[in-house]
Amino acid sequence: MFDHWLDTAQWFGYTAFVLGVTSFLQKNDVRFKLYMSAECIAYVVHFTLLGNPAAGASSLVSMTRSLVSIYSKSLWIAFFFVAINMALGLRLATVWWNWLPLIASCVGTLALFLLDGIQMRMAMLVGTSLWIANNVLSGSIGGTALEVVIAITNSYTIIRLHVKSREPKAAFD
């Protein structure tokens, strides 16, 4: 499954790894979404080269969704992106596990449009678990490593945000 460590496809997975970890280290939601968008671009190429068009298409939708979510919190736009993912699944999924990144993208969409801070990152953690399964089944070395590290990094950032939220506010802020 993980036979080709230095294939071109894997290099895009490694690039996604760096960008994804960087995104989940961000405490600022806008920077988080910008880095996540860059990660998605690398994932589009990665999964397309691995022969998983559903994951590649889902990543393209996720990139667009991440950028749009910086400027809008519209429930209708969120539902639009969920509908696109469902349509992609119906068109591109050839085996049951091709639905995993599409469902992860739906969870991520709802998180990015409807939540923020710790709640957004908790929902993203659910999507991360679905991506881990997809990446193992797709043979994605960088993607599997990325999602495992993202789960750890995101958990660390959630803890940091929680600790910060418990700090007393200055009287004159």
Side-chain angles (χ1 to χ4, degrees):
M1 186 178 305
F2 295 120
D3 297 339
H4 307 287
W5 290 84
L6 298 178
D7 283 355
T8 303
Q10 299 300 348
W11 283 107
F12 281 98
Y14 304 144
T15 301
F17 176 91
V18 171
L19 293 167
V21 171
T22 302
S23 74
F24 280 91
L25 285 170
Q26 304 305 309
K27 290 191 281 183
N28 176 283
D29 288 353
V30 172
R31 282 195 306 267
F32 167 75
K33 292 173 183 182
L34 289 171
Y35 277 103
M36 180 179 289
S37 296
E39 170 204 335
C40 289
I41 293 168
Y43 254 0
V44 168
V45 177
H46 176 64
F47 285 111
T48 300
L49 291 173
L50 286 176
N52 186 339
S58 178
S59 295
L60 183 61
V61 172
S62 293
M63 184 263 319
T64 306
R65 165 215 68 194
S66 295
L67 292 173
V68 171
S69 73
I70 293 170
Y71 303 102
S72 174
K73 290 286 196 176
S74 167
L75 181 61
W76 294 109
I77 293 174
F79 286 146
F80 172 74
F81 282 111
V82 168
I84 289 173
N85 275 297
M86 292 295 101
L88 286 170
L90 293 172
R91 174 85 171 114
L92 299 172
T94 57
V95 293
W96 69 268
W97 55 268
N98 287 163
W99 281 95
L100 296 175
L102 298 162
I103 295 167
S105 184
C106 291
V107 171
T109 295
L110 297 174
L112 291 172
F113 279 91
L114 305 179
L115 304 172
D116 56 24
I118 292 172
Q119 292 79 22
M120 176 182 65
R121 285 164 178 80
M122 293 289 287
M124 298 301 283
L125 201 53
V126 171
T128 297
S129 65
L130 296 170
W131 273 105
I132 289 169
N134 172 75
N135 294 349
V136 168
L137 293 167
S138 294
S140 169
I141 300 165
T144 300
L146 166 62
E147 299 300 333
V148 168
V149 171
I150 280 177
I152 295 166
T153 305
N154 191 17
S155 298
Y156 172 71
T157 302
I158 289 167
I159 292 167
R160 287 177 28 214
L161 288 169
H162 179 71
V163 167
K164 184 176 181 176
S165 74
R166 310 283 268 170
E167 291 176 357
K169 304 279 185 202
F172 296 103
D173 277 348

